Amino acid sequence: MDVERITTELYGLAPERFVAARDAYVAEAREAKDTKAAKAIAGLRRPTLAAWVANHLARERPEEAEALLTLGRTLREAHRTLDAPQLREAGRRQHQVTAALAREAAALARDAGQPVSEAVLREVTEILHAVLADPEAGERWVAGRLVRAPEPVVGFGAVAADAEAVARRPTSDAPSPRKKATGPRGKTGQPDDARLRRARKAAREADTAARERAAALDTARRARDDARSAADEASGRVSEAEEELRAARREQRTARTAATSADKAAREAERSADTARRAAEEAARAVEAAEAEAGEAARGGG
């Protein structure tokens, strides 16, 4: 079986149709004795509604999806080099683009018959922010195969905010040309370097807090998604059990019908046997009568 084609097809389905379609393909693979495909397909997990909406956007608007990934590469490079002007511009574009794409994703989902609540829309926006920071998540997204919101990348937003604050610092803060600024440890340095060091320190502190928040958020999301997956699996097992019960009942009805037919055939066979016995008895009596007549005739003729 073509697992890639099936995977693409499954993640294109509405979430409520995913489990039944997946289980049907698993059954088909098992019937075909393709255990490898059956295992691979059985391991696929139903996407959350927000992940499906984001995937649908990537499938329907591939050029816009690629443009968002390009913006993500720009942001990551700006973070790496701490290029404040580039960060400011990319950050502004980030919020504009993700907000617009989230609204477009919601509209596409509604057109596909899947309404989107405000809570789901916020989660879609979070997903778009996450794929900007995480290249691997971005690749899964453009392929339309996200299962849930990616983990937040710690520090991605904090560094941008601090660098942007440095870039926006009023120029009046700069020292007079006749007076040199005194940096750490009494050494002379450039004012921008001092602000940059403070920004980095603030970013590290923000990282620590963000890491804790991200860990808690990720734990909550994993628990929620695991619960949804468990519910899906349980639903699938219930469906299988119901189908097995229906099959058992069909077999029971067939067995009862066969037993009834067998009883009827047995009764008919007994009646036929009785008729045959009576016929045999009559034939025996006729033979005896004929032998008696033949004996009398022989005695009379002698």
Side-chain angles (χ1 to χ4, degrees):
M1 297 181 69
D2 189 345
V3 176
E4 277 296 309
R5 178 190 62 78
I6 291 170
T7 300
T8 300
E9 177 186 333
L10 289 175
Y11 282 108
L13 297 176
E16 64 270 15
R17 297 176 54 197
F18 183 91
V19 174
R22 179 198 61 192
D23 292 349
Y25 275 122
V26 170
E28 183 179 338
R30 288 173 177 165
E31 186 176 352
K33 309 299 183 185
D34 192 343
T35 55
K36 184 177 180 181
K39 183 177 180 180
I41 297 169
L44 299 176
R45 291 292 172 262
R46 188 184 79 165
T48 64
L49 179 55
W52 180 85
V53 172
N55 288 340
H56 188 61
L57 170 69
R59 283 190 297 269
E60 295 295 316
R61 299 290 187 269
E63 292 182 358
E64 295 179 18
E66 287 295 340
L68 186 66
L69 295 191
T70 299
L71 175 59
R73 287 190 288 271
T74 300
L75 273 169
R76 291 193 297 275
E77 177 62 19
H79 288 179
R80 188 183 66 81
T81 60
L82 285 176
D83 185 332
Q86 189 179 20
L87 270 175
R88 183 170 59 251
E89 175 59 22
R92 183 185 62 79
R93 289 175 56 205
Q94 171 190 1
H95 293 291
Q96 290 177 343
V97 171
T98 53
L101 286 180
R103 289 192 298 270
E104 186 170 3
L108 289 171
R110 285 192 293 269
D111 291 344
Q114 183 64 66
V116 175
S117 67
E118 286 297 322
V120 172
L121 182 60
R122 285 194 297 272
E123 192 172 349
V124 171
T125 305
E126 291 176 4
I127 289 174
L128 297 179
H129 279 292
V131 300
L132 281 169
D134 186 344
E136 292 184 4
E139 291 303 319
R140 292 196 302 274
W141 173 60
V142 295
R145 296 185 182 183
L146 277 181
V147 175
R148 59 187 177 190
E151 295 182 25
V153 176
V154 177
F156 186 78
V159 175
D162 289 321
E164 185 172 348
V166 170
R168 290 180 175 177
R169 190 72 61 84
T171 56
S172 59
D173 289 347
S176 169
R178 296 180 182 179
K179 182 179 180 181
K180 293 184 178 181
T182 301
R185 302 179 184 176
K187 295 181 180 179
T188 300
Q190 294 297 324
D192 285 344
D193 291 341
R195 287 199 295 269
L196 188 56
R197 284 193 294 272
R198 287 196 297 272
R200 285 173 174 168
K201 180 181 178 182
R204 287 193 297 270
E205 293 172 351
D207 280 349
T208 301
R211 192 181 301 277
E212 295 174 354
R213 290 195 299 271
L217 177 60
D218 184 56
T219 299
R221 282 177 173 170
R222 285 183 182 278
R224 178 199 62 192
D225 293 341
D226 289 344
R228 287 176 177 173
S229 296
D232 291 342
E233 294 301 325
S235 176
R237 288 194 295 272
V238 168
S239 297
E240 291 176 0
E242 289 175 345
E243 179 56 34
E244 290 175 358
L245 178 60
R246 286 192 291 269
R249 286 174 174 169
R250 287 194 296 269
E251 291 177 1
Q252 184 182 44
R253 287 194 295 271
T254 301
R256 285 176 176 172
T257 301
T260 301
S261 299
D263 288 342
K264 182 178 179 180
R267 288 193 296 270
E268 291 177 354
E270 288 177 357
R271 286 194 293 270
S272 296
D274 289 341
T275 301
R277 281 195 298 270
R278 287 193 294 271
E281 291 172 355
E282 290 175 0
R285 287 193 294 270
V287 169
E288 290 175 358
E291 289 177 346
E293 290 178 0
E296 290 179 356
R299 286 192 298 273

